[in-house]
Amino acid sequence: MKIGLLIIDLQEVHVSGVEQKEIDRACEYINFVSGLLRAKGHAVIHIQDIEGMQPSEEARFAIIPGVEVQETDFNVKKEYSNAFWRTDLEELAREQGIDLLILSGYAAEHCVLFTYNGAAERGIKAVLLQNGILSSHKDVITAAYRDRNLISYPVIQALVQS
């Protein structure tokens, strides 16, 4: 099984309303899982929302320093909440042979959820990374975990070992 990890919108311009300890915690899980996946040849894909970005604001739209980025990672820029909409994400997922997408990042109630639904609409299995999604509203994360498929890092470890 080929796995892809999406790291969605972890950019300063977007996460500025989230407590730093929450960001650090999510980054710890995301970095651990991305390391596991990279080591076994799976895809790590950074999604950057550039909607409304002006050239003078480019630094604010960069991936936050807490997220480890490697040369082998992929990057998709988007202007809509669903990372599949008007991007090459679906083509990239198919080219990489991805059977399962693990979604992480910001915002659980918008871009993460809309991308999760976008994957389902395209017949791609998707799950949320437990402790790897963020929101400025804590109740939204609880609802996302309750209403969507979820995966924890020990399960990911077991999947990549087999």
Side-chain angles (χ1 to χ4, degrees):
M1 172 191 322
K2 186 77 184 256
I3 300 171
L5 173 67
L6 295 185
I7 304 170
I8 301 169
D9 298 351
L10 285 183
Q11 302 158 261
E12 186 62 42
V13 69
H14 299 304
V15 300
S16 59
V18 179
E19 290 182 35
Q20 188 61 47
K21 68 178 184 173
E22 297 297 322
I23 295 170
D24 293 344
R25 182 173 185 250
C27 286
E28 183 178 353
Y29 280 85
I30 290 166
N31 290 335
F32 182 77
V33 169
S34 63
L36 286 174
L37 296 177
R38 284 186 197 105
K40 297 295 185 173
H42 297 279
V44 175
I45 306 166
H46 300 273
I47 307 294
Q48 286 181 273
D49 188 339
I50 59 166
E51 180 183 5
M53 182 179 79
Q54 301 299 315
S56 62
E57 299 176 308
E58 202 167 321
R60 292 183 63 226
F61 284 80
I63 296 169
I64 61 173
V67 175
E68 294 173 9
V69 180
Q70 301 292 323
E71 288 183 16
T72 56
D73 296 351
F74 298 94
N75 189 282
V76 173
K77 297 193 183 325
K78 68 178 182 72
E79 294 189 39
Y80 299 93
S81 296
N82 176 357
F84 286 98
W85 186 249
R86 296 187 178 176
T87 70
D88 62 351
L89 180 57
E90 181 177 8
E91 181 181 341
L92 175 61
R94 303 239 186 259
E95 285 174 358
Q96 293 299 309
I98 294 172
D99 302 301
L100 175 69
L101 274 177
I102 301 170
L103 279 66
S104 65
Y106 182 84
E109 70 275 27
H110 297 295
C111 298
V112 174
L113 175 60
F114 296 163
T115 301
Y116 180 100
N117 292 340
E121 292 167 353
R122 288 156 179 81
I124 301 171
K125 292 178 195 139
V127 294
L128 301 177
L129 175 60
Q130 186 176 32
N131 300 315
I133 61 173
L134 294 166
S135 173
S136 53
H137 308 288
K138 293 183 194 256
D139 62 324
V140 170
I141 293 174
T142 303
Y145 289 165
R146 181 193 68 221
D147 299 336
R148 301 289 184 269
N149 294 319
L150 187 64
I151 194 166
S152 63
Y153 78 86
V155 173
I156 298 166
Q157 277 182 306
L159 285 174
V160 299
Q161 296 303 323
S162 54

